[in-house]
């Protein structure tokens, strides 16, 4: 009996195993191989094209990827020159002492922020005391002259004094008033302190202290430079232009300033000097740029887009912007979600720049510096899909 039950149990078990194997075989034969082997993807990832990369602005910044808006104009219409960032005429001030004396107080140091009219130091000076005394004396003489004029006018009206005496009093009062105004202006120009013992060294502009040459107790000469204050928001770029290119440039022409780290800043030509520099034999183009981005004294490379250049539809980009994707030349266009690979046809090259003959439109924004990172990420994504 027991043997018969074991045979029955063995038969049932074999039937179950045979059914499972048969079902697995049927599933392999009927299932779509791509669905069976591919991992599940969410809907957002499945909608991303194979030539696109989704990247947030923070991720782009952390990766050091720079972008640039391209415009029509071939290599022949660009002028590539060297330039230097300088402070504009209203963006830097040399602060001097208006009178000689000893420095008694220093309020600001190198790098400190400064408001327009704010005191940087105080110089105690005998010259300041003399200027203050002259103002006081001139003011007293003006008051006395006004009183004398009032007395002579009364006497003239009473027919006691002659008209000549009245006219003499009027002239003396006018002269005394003029002398009082001159003394007051001298006090203001020297910026004399209220107690008249010294002069206030104040900044005429707002900005930061970029240079200081002052120490407590030191004697300074009149008009000696004590501080230098610069406003970082008021800067310009001075670019050296070959004489043959001056006629091609005009006020308002577009300019792109290239930094050492690969970043670019857009600007406009404000003016071009009509004469050449005696040492370099080159003209100077003054380019207005947004403040707060560049620092005075920085050397840069400038690409000028002259309005008189030969018209062309070719787009020019840095060579670093062009990458090889699937054996073809491509650039990475900036999109709302990140970047998209765009295949292009290249033209001539010069000075690290290359023309895009076709495949790219003016006004598009492309990745320049570290564009190879996008190529690597795109290749990695393609490898994962395979």
């Amino acid at each position: 009996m027991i043997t018969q039950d074991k045979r029955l149990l063995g038969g049932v078990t074999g039937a179950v195993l045979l059914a499972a194997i048969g079902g697995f075989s049927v599933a392999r034969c009927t299932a779509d191989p791509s669905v069976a082997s591919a991992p599940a993807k969410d809907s957002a990832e499945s909608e991303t094209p194979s030539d696109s990369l989704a990247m947030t602005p923070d991720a782009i910044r952390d990766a050091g990827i720079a972008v640039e808006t391209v415009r029509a104009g071939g290599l022949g219409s660009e002028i590539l020159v060297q330039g230097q960032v300088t402070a504009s005429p209203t963006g830097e001030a040399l602060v001097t002492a208006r009178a000689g004396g000893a420095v008694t107080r220093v309020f600001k140091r190198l790098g400190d922020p400064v408001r327009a009219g704010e005191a940087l130091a105080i110089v105690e000076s005998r010259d300041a005391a003399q200027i203050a005394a002259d103002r006081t004396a001139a003011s007293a003489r003006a008051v006395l002259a006004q009183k004398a004029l009032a007395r002579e006018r009364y006497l003239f009206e009473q027919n006691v004094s002659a008209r000549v005496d009245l006219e003499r009093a009027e002239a003396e009062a006018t002269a005394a008033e003029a002398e009082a105004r001159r003394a007051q202006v001298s006090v203001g120009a020297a910026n004399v302190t209220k107690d008249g013992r010294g002069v206030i060294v104040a900044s005429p502009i707002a900005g930061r202290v970029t240079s200081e040459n002052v120490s407590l107790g030191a004697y300074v000469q009149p008009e000696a430079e004590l501080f230098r204050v610069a406003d970082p928001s008021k800067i310009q770029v001075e670019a050296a232009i070959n004489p043959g290119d001056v006629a091609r440039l005009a006020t308002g022409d577009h300019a792109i300033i290239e930094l050492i780290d690969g970043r670019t800043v857009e600007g406009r030509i404000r003016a071009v000097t009509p004469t050449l520099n005696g040492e370099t034999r080159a003209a100077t183009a003054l380019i207005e740029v947004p403040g707060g981005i560049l620092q005075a004294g920085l050397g840069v490379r400038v690409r000028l887009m002259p309005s008189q250049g030969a018209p062309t539809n070719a787009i020019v980009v840095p060579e670093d912007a062009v990458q090889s994707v699937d054996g073809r030349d491509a650039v990475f266009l900036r999109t709302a979600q990140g970047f998209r690979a765009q295949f292009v046809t290249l033209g001539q090259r010069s000075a690290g720049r290359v023309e895009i003959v076709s495949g790219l439109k003016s006004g598009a924004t492309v990745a320049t510096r570290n564009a190879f990172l996008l190529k690597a990420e795109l290749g990695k994504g393609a490898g994962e899909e395979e």
Side-chain angles (χ1 to χ4, degrees):
M1 184 67 179
I2 294 175
T3 302
Q4 185 176 0
D5 292 340
K6 288 182 177 180
R7 289 178 179 176
L8 180 60
L9 180 60
V12 173
T13 302
V16 172
L17 290 174
L18 183 61
I21 294 173
F24 178 73
S25 300
V26 171
R28 290 187 61 185
C29 294
T30 58
D32 186 354
S34 61
V35 175
S37 60
K41 297 184 179 180
D42 55 21
S43 58
E45 185 178 357
S46 62
E47 293 177 358
T48 302
S50 59
D51 61 348
S52 299
L53 292 172
M55 293 186 69
T56 63
D58 292 338
I60 295 173
R61 183 179 62 254
D62 294 340
I65 299 173
V67 297
E68 178 182 329
T69 301
V70 297
R71 291 176 173 82
L75 290 172
S77 64
E78 284 189 354
I79 300 177
L80 188 63
V81 295
Q82 299 297 321
Q84 185 176 14
V85 182
T86 61
S88 67
T90 60
E92 187 177 37
L94 305 181
V95 186
T96 63
R98 303 299 175 86
V103 179
T104 58
R105 299 188 68 180
V106 178
F107 302 108
K108 295 294 181 178
R109 289 296 185 185
L110 191 65
D112 289 348
V114 178
R115 299 188 306 273
E118 186 175 5
L120 306 180
I122 291 180
V123 176
E124 192 171 273
S125 171
R126 287 179 295 180
D127 295 338
Q130 182 63 47
I131 293 173
D134 291 344
R135 177 186 61 177
T136 303
S139 178
R141 286 194 295 269
V143 172
L144 181 61
Q146 289 296 329
K147 291 181 179 180
L149 174 61
R151 183 172 56 255
E152 287 296 335
R153 182 176 291 112
Y154 174 77
L155 294 176
F156 176 76
E157 292 175 352
Q158 299 299 322
N159 295 323
V160 175
S161 62
R163 177 178 290 277
V164 65
D165 295 332
L166 174 61
E167 292 175 348
R168 183 182 299 109
E170 290 177 344
E172 292 176 352
T174 302
E177 185 66 24
E179 180 63 20
R181 286 198 301 269
R182 184 201 63 78
Q184 183 63 37
V185 170
S186 298
V187 170
N191 210 358
V192 178
T193 58
K194 292 181 178 180
D195 58 8
R197 297 180 56 182
V199 295
I200 301 173
V201 180
S203 173
I205 65 172
R208 287 185 176 273
V209 179
T210 59
S211 174
E212 64 168 343
N213 185 27
V214 61
S215 299
L216 282 175
Y219 184 88
V220 296
Q221 296 292 339
E223 306 305 324
E225 178 184 331
L226 303 183
F227 298 90
R228 184 169 296 196
V229 178
D231 185 351
S233 65
K234 297 179 180 179
I235 58 174
Q236 63 185 10
V237 174
E238 297 183 6
I241 309 298
N242 292 328
D245 293 328
V246 173
R248 301 172 56 193
L249 297 172
T251 301
D253 284 352
H254 186 68
I256 297 178
I257 293 87
E258 298 180 346
L259 306 183
I260 298 177
D261 59 3
R263 292 182 299 158
T264 59
V265 179
E266 297 189 3
R268 295 283 178 182
I269 295 179
R270 185 180 65 83
V272 179
T273 57
T275 58
L276 304 182
N277 185 287
E279 297 179 358
T280 62
R281 297 299 178 184
T284 302
L286 302 178
I287 304 170
E288 294 180 337
V289 293
I293 301 177
L294 306 178
Q295 294 79 35
L298 185 65
V300 295
R301 190 172 75 162
V302 182
R303 287 189 284 116
L304 303 175
M305 314 301 176
S307 56
Q308 306 301 321
T312 175
N313 293 326
I315 305 295
V316 182
V317 299
E319 288 185 338
D320 294 341
V322 181
Q323 301 295 320
S324 179
V325 178
D326 295 334
R328 300 171 60 187
D329 294 320
V331 296
F332 286 91
L333 292 176
R334 183 74 168 92
T335 63
Q337 292 75 27
F339 292 93
R340 176 174 59 84
Q342 175 68 37
F343 294 106
V344 295
T345 302
L346 303 184
Q348 59 181 335
R349 301 171 183 260
S350 176
R353 308 278 295 171
V354 58
E355 283 186 347
I356 305 296
V357 178
S358 63
L360 195 60
K361 294 182 179 180
S362 177
T365 302
V366 301
T368 54
R369 178 168 54 92
N370 290 340
F372 68 92
L373 297 177
L374 299 175
K375 171 190 173 181
E377 189 67 21
L378 186 64
K380 183 172 65 176
E384 291 176 353
E385 291 180 1
E386 294 177 358

